[in-house]
């Protein structure tokens, strides 16, 4: 018996954008492949929302724009369209050539980890983000326990890594003036036993 193999269709970036605009769901794009994004959990939404609201208030009136979940990012060096959980961009924000809905110049990105994406967010995705010239700071936040990983660019190809498990620690950002207590990231979060 012969098993038929399903051929993966490769899409151009233009085809992806046409599909994405008409889609009710968000999809990432990586080198010709369209990858559906799964829905978030209540903890994921609360954690990313807590960070977004805190950043939005702290950076009000300053030379930054803050985005949450639905803002598409283009990473040209690796041909990826993605939707970071939280992004901060310096003003003026820069758009992909010919687009009004896709940014290219984040200075800060945060991702809330899920079981299915945690390895990708820590490794390949972080390496793709590092190809963005304006990218300076990365925050990775666990949603199943109190754990935060913080990366700060100190020089070309040099990053400092810090991690925190104590909710009483205050995290200080480097790319812009902002501090947040780890407990505030996890406000209203209920951890469940697995």
């Amino acid at each position: 018996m012969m098993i038929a193999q399903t051929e993966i269709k490769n899409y151009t970036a233009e085809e992806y954008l046409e599909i994405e605009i008409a889609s009710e769901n968000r999809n990432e794009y990586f080198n010709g492949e369209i990858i559906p994004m799964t829905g978030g959990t209540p903890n994921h939404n609360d954690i990313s929302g807590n960070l977004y609201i805190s950043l939005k208030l702290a950076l009000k009136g300053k030379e930054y724009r803050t985005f949450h979940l639905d803002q598409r990012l283009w990473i040209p060096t690796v041909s990826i369209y993605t939707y970071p959980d939280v992004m901060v961009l310096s003003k003026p924000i820069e758009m992909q050539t010919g687009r009004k809905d896709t940014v290219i110049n984040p200075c800060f990105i945060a991702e809330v980890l899920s079981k299915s994406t945690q390895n990708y967010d820590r490794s390949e995705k972080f390496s793709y983000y590092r190809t963005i010239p304006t990218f300076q700071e990365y925050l990775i936040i666990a949603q199943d326990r109190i754990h935060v990983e913080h990366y700060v660019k100190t020089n070309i190809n040099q990053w400092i890594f810090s991690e925190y498990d104590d909710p009483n620690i205050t995290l200080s950002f480097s790319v812009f003036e902002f501090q947040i207590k780890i407990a505030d990231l996890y406000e209203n979060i209920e951890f469940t036993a697995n």
Side-chain angles (χ1 to χ4, degrees):
M1 183 162 115
M2 202 173 216
I3 298 174
Q5 289 185 332
T6 305
E7 188 175 314
I8 296 175
K9 178 172 176 19
N10 276 326
Y11 296 86
T12 66
E14 293 75 23
E15 289 172 324
Y16 159 78
L17 290 168
E18 285 179 29
I19 292 167
E20 189 67 3
I21 289 168
S23 177
E24 291 182 14
N25 302 313
R26 294 181 302 144
N27 301 285
E28 289 190 343
Y29 173 84
F30 178 60
N31 272 344
E33 188 177 347
I34 295 176
I35 305 150
M37 296 181 69
T38 59
T41 64
N43 279 1
H44 183 285
N45 286 322
D46 273 346
I47 293 167
S48 63
N50 290 343
L51 177 60
Y52 170 74
I53 291 167
S54 297
L55 282 167
K56 191 79 170 167
L57 291 172
L59 299 177
K60 184 178 180 181
K62 299 190 175 152
E63 292 299 307
Y64 297 97
R65 296 277 306 271
T66 307
F67 297 98
H68 185 233
L69 297 176
D70 286 329
Q71 180 57 62
R72 187 170 45 244
L73 170 66
W74 169 239
I75 309 173
T77 56
V78 287
S79 298
I80 291 178
Y81 287 99
T82 189
Y83 294 86
D85 291 330
V86 178
M87 263 190 308
V88 176
L89 287 73
S90 295
K91 291 181 185 175
I93 62 171
E94 295 175 31
M95 299 297 209
Q96 179 187 11
T97 303
R99 306 289 315 171
K100 294 182 179 183
D101 56 1
T102 307
V103 298
I104 61 170
N105 68 316
C107 58
F108 168 83
I109 295 175
E111 295 285 5
V112 178
L113 299 178
S114 66
K115 287 190 188 304
S116 63
T117 65
Q118 63 185 343
N119 292 334
Y120 175 61
D121 287 341
R122 284 188 175 111
S123 59
E124 290 109 322
K125 198 169 196 182
F126 183 32
S127 72
Y128 303 150
Y129 287 157
R130 291 193 310 263
T131 68
I132 302 169
T134 56
F135 180 54
Q136 302 289 314
E137 199 156 3
Y138 189 42
L139 198 65
I140 299 174
I141 310 165
Q143 67 171 305
D144 58 349
R145 64 189 173 105
I146 294 176
H147 184 79
V148 176
E149 299 172 18
H150 185 207
Y151 297 85
V152 177
K153 187 174 184 177
T154 58
N155 208 334
I156 295 172
N157 300 321
Q158 293 181 343
W159 292 76
I160 291 178
F161 166 68
S162 305
E163 62 184 327
Y164 308 96
D165 297 310
D166 181 349
N168 298 309
I169 297 280
T170 297
L171 181 61
S172 295
F173 287 56
S174 295
V175 72
F176 40 74
E177 192 174 317
F178 176 68
Q179 293 184 330
I180 189 168
K181 196 170 183 180
I182 300 290
D184 292 337
L185 289 173
Y186 289 95
E187 181 185 356
N188 206 32
I189 299 302
E190 296 177 9
F191 299 112
T192 57
N194 291 335

